Amino acid sequence: MAEAHQAVAFQFTVTPDGIDLQLSREVLKHIYLSGVTSWKKRAIRFKNGVLTGVYPASPSSWLIVVIAIMSTMYARIDPSMGMIDRIKTSLPVSEFMTVQTQTVLSAILFATGLWLSFIFLLRYILKALLSYHGWIFESHGKMSFSTKVWLSLVKLLSGRRPLLYSFQASLPHLPVPSIDDTINRYLESVRPLLDDEQYKQMEIVANDFKKDPAPKLQKHLKLKSWWATNYVSDWWEEYIYLRGRDPIMVNSNFYTMDLLYVIPTHRQASRAANIVHAMLQYRRKLERGELTPLRALGIVPMCSFQYERMFNTTRIPGIETDFVQHLKDRKHLVVYHRGRFFKVWLYYGGRHLWPSELELQFQRILDDKSEPQPGEIKLPSLTAGNRVPWARARLKYFNEGVNRASLEAIETAAFFMTLDDEAHGYDPENIRSLDLYAKSLLHGKCYDRWFDKSFTLIVYKNGKTGINTEHSWADSPIIGHMWEYVLATDCFHLGYTAEGHCKGDINKSLAPPTRLQWDIPKACQEIIEGSYMIAKGIADDVDFHDCLFNEFGKGLIKKCRTSPDAFIQLALQLAHYRDKGEFCLTYESSMTRMFREGRTETVRSCTCESTAFVKAMEDESTTNEQRLALFKKAADKHQNMYRLAMTGAGIDRHLFCLYIVSKVMGIDSPFLKQVLSEPWRLSTSQTPQQQLNLIDTQKFPKYVGAGGGFGPVADDGYGVSYIIVGENLITFHISSKFSSPETVVSYLIYQALWFIQYDIVRIRRSSLRKKTVQFYSKAQSEQKHAIRCSC
């Protein structure tokens, strides 16, 4: 009980001589240090808040303006054109406010007003400059003179050493596209998917919508765009994520993998400790706003709004809709291990626990032999099942007593961590190793991740790790930014001893982690079991195939003068056509973070140009020169669509918001109903790589990430996530459902990538012929093996 005594700051004894106080110097020292740390944190936040608030100017520029104005006054020059005198006359005269003091104060007030006006002018000019997007449509490697001038002006007005949120007030608002542009682009996107009769019918429905009620809906949407910071994001979060009543496990949450080839240590507690400590370092930078904002071309800023809710955030279930609870300064995390919950304090004496101290705490959890309480093992499955039963159970069984206190500990934690009792990771000798790793990160056992937390850190018993992320608060590039920082800090800054332990001394006086207590009645246990069975049915139905394509990468693709993303999307179209014998509506996620509070937009990758190219690839009578011409046309079309989506001229978010307006106004639109009900049978997304450039993959080629993935969007479709790693590796994460006879995860993507590359470069590089034939034989045999495994 030594730790319990140390937790008491003072003791007192009543004696005949009075009260004898016995103060604990050690605890008082920790209280003092905690107070100092708290005030230091507030001071830093205040300072950074001021720096962000006056950006692109600086506080020192205010002093320069004041000195300049005062100097002109002593030179008997009035730059204010009488405004200083007007301010002076409005100030009261008293014994404390002499005429000279009035003059000085008036000059300071005028200088401050001039300085603030200058800041707003700079922000307005910068916002106007950032509203220009012509640069993004220029050919790669070719920059016009006007773009060079524009970039110089943006760089000049962007100031020096911006903080994370410095550019927020200068970012333009997301524009509302015109009805005509959106309808025309929509009709163009569905043309390759419809026969002539179906297309004519769609044209009629679309034109009827364009006449009425589209103009009425558009007016209300434009009104919202003038009033709100972003006309899409709040509705997207509410109606796409928070109002969904289906399970979020697999259907919404996504995962991120560890380093592909490297495990820095095989000690589970040590790896968890370094990762958690690196996350705390990142959180401190994030809370202080000290992270460098992400900028395209190193100059054009991206919105940083989504970072705010990364930590201390939980999705709270409701009967009709959920809501996102975000708190500040949470000083603990909750760990799940073998059916038990532990609360671990992250601070000691006003500082973060060192990795060696965290390792001690996590090892104590691993060594704990206590048994789970009734209903405790599968309790997290409530977050994996349907939302309504979870919301009702939360209100009825977790609203008082120990259950409320324990649930509150989870929901107010910095994040959630699972010390998993399984081993996962990439094994070159096991073709299914990445598949099992992906499934474990996506859903685990359905009861060992808290799917409502902003993210759950999973650490396996062999030292491998990964993240499961709740989707409503942010998109994958945001969690990827943090994960890149954490992995680089873990491997290259914190490190491990020769035995695999964390570096540093061990402080054994730390109080051990606290077991969370539960009193779960039988009725609630039945609800938990029901949620588990629903979640298990979903998890068992998910088929995953993660494949490493290392025959070539973006290095060879770029030699074709083609965007790697466009190349892969065309390969996916070819693979899908070979699999299904038809084309389908294809979703590719694009970001809109060049606008304030921007999130994503859809790129409809299945186009008339891409289908023409795919058909040419399947037609043996087509020459390679013809295929090359069709390939370039399709790739250029895809790049242009991606750029339109990034610059606010997409299709789907506009139609989605028009649909929401129509529902609010009680207007029935057959066109919008049809558009919003169309299934995305091929849903794709590219995971960004090296956002921070903290790991030199040329120097350390083994330290590359494996990316992440998500579940299939349609019951009879595929979910495909890919990451372009370095010059010679592309990683694919492909998901579908066993229950659908229409989907079989296979090696068709391998073949599509190879044969597109082979046919495109064959004109210039005939030496690839032999290598391609060899690969084709290998791919055919691997595909047969994969199908046998699936069966």
Side-chain angles (χ1 to χ4, degrees), residues 2-11 22-35 348-350 509:
E3 296 86 359
H5 286 293
Q6 289 179 10
V8 181
F10 67 91
Q11 299 175 349
Q22 301 172 8
L23 300 180
S24 171
R25 292 183 180 180
E26 185 65 22
V27 174
L28 289 178
K29 176 185 175 183
H30 287 305
I31 293 173
Y32 168 75
L33 291 174
S34 296
Y348 179 79
S509 65

Side-chain angles (χ1 to χ4, degrees), residues 178-191 199 203 206-207 210 637 651 655 671:
S178 70
I179 291 289
D180 287 343
D181 287 345
T182 298
I183 297 298
N184 291 338
R185 289 179 185 133
Y186 171 77
L187 290 174
E188 183 184 5
S189 73
V190 298
R191 185 65 188 93
Y199 183 71
E203 274 189 319
N207 288 326
K210 191 188 299 185
K637 176 66 175 180
I651 301 169
L655 293 177
F671 171 72

